[in-house]
Amino acid sequence: MTTRPRLSIGLPVYNGEEYLSESLDALLGQTYEDFELIISDNASTDGTQDICRRYAARDPRIRYLRLPRNIGATPNHNHVFARSRGELFKWASHDDLYGRDLLRACVQALDERPDAILAHTGQAVIDGDGQLKVPYAYGLATDSPHPPERFRSLLFEPGGDDFYGVLRADVLRRVKPMDSYHHADRTFVAELTLHGPFHQVPEVLYFRRDHPTRAERANPSKRARCVNLDPRRAGPLHPTPRLLAEYVWGFAAAIRRAPLTPADRRACYRHLAAWLTSRARPGAGERVEDRPPVAPDRLTVSVDALVAGREGRQA
């Protein structure tokens, strides 16, 4: 590809052969086509490399990078962004699915709203077979014009996969790259909200796959999850108390770095203090994927009808 794409998609992957082809079909089958897909293979030892090379040979929008060693999930996420060229950027997961119109809807939303820095769509959890388990309503106030309100909502309210939205790359370059302590993705998104509002397209087009080998499931302890994010977290220098302390400090540092008025900065610090002293708030630690599955007769969304590559699976 010689021309600069409008949108860059970064897909970091390690040993993703089980679901990678489905995700690639869903991304390459998007109705919005002006993008590059950067795949960074974290020295996979399964069939991931063969899958990536096969797809790259068929579609010139793919740039396949293979790392000589496993640097961890977090450095790999930062790596794909560093290699991107588009004015817009989106991280993608090798095991999730994406409705055909997801990119088009998000890019259109950003074009129509110059103040918004991130756009995402309605979301749902699917199982290992790609069947819908839990659709969920987005209840966060990330569209508020007031930075402290956006920050407060992200601290206290459950739900949301904003990390996988479409972002303005220039804003991403102004925030600290993602770290690898406990829940570092939350502090990363919280810092983004302090730079501008998000927009949620109500149509359900993003499907997060919950399965036993997903990183969060395969690494049940905080230490194990952080070592998966960055192998340098292994060893006695990174005990769990340090990982938790870095998590809290990550919010405080985000407030300190953000372009806020003194009044807004003080308000954000107050919200952070309230969060620290009120962790018993109902729903504060809720995981959407742990909610009971919705009865099939109540589902109004068909993954197979919305996602490219799954047409033959429809009943």
Side-chain angles (χ1 to χ4, degrees), residues 39-109:
I39 305 173
S40 182
D41 180 355
N42 216 349
S44 295
T45 57
D46 65 354
T48 293
Q49 180 175 192
D50 292 338
I51 294 171
C52 292
R53 293 194 182 283
R54 185 168 68 249
Y55 274 82
R58 298 201 310 247
D59 197 313
R61 293 175 296 178
I62 296 177
R63 294 165 57 199
Y64 174 59
L65 314 173
R66 180 171 171 83
L67 300 174
R69 60 182 179 84
N70 186 341
I71 62 174
T74 293
N76 204 16
H77 275 75
N78 293 331
H79 179 62
V80 290
F81 175 59
R83 297 295 295 268
S84 67
R85 301 179 296 163
E87 69 174 270
L88 303 174
F89 181 81
K90 170 184 168 53
W91 275 294
S93 176
H94 75 275
D95 46 7
D96 294 339
L97 294 177
Y98 314 88
R100 292 179 189 82
D101 291 329
L102 184 146
L103 296 183
R104 178 195 55 76
C106 291
V107 172
Q108 180 177 329

Side-chain angles (χ1 to χ4, degrees), residues 154-158 186 275 278-287:
L154 270 170
L155 281 174
F156 285 106
E157 306 298 334
R186 291 197 70 216
W275 175 76
S278 184
R279 295 301 294 133
R281 174 175 171 148
E286 180 184 8
R287 282 163 41 100

Side-chain angles (χ1 to χ4, degrees), residues 151-152 155 176 181-184 186-195 243-261 264-276:
F151 183 76
R152 185 213 64 79
L155 281 174
K176 185 176 183 292
Y181 48 77
H182 178 61
H183 280 334
R186 291 197 70 216
T187 63
F188 182 80
V189 174
E191 182 166 357
L192 285 171
T193 67
L194 298 176
H195 285 256
L243 299 173
L244 293 172
E246 287 188 66
Y247 174 37
V248 175
W249 175 248
F251 286 122
I255 297 170
R256 176 176 53 81
R257 288 189 296 265
L260 301 171
T261 66
D264 282 350
R265 202 178 311 277
R266 290 192 296 270
C268 288
Y269 282 130
R270 287 195 297 271
H271 291 319
L272 180 59
W275 175 76
L276 286 171

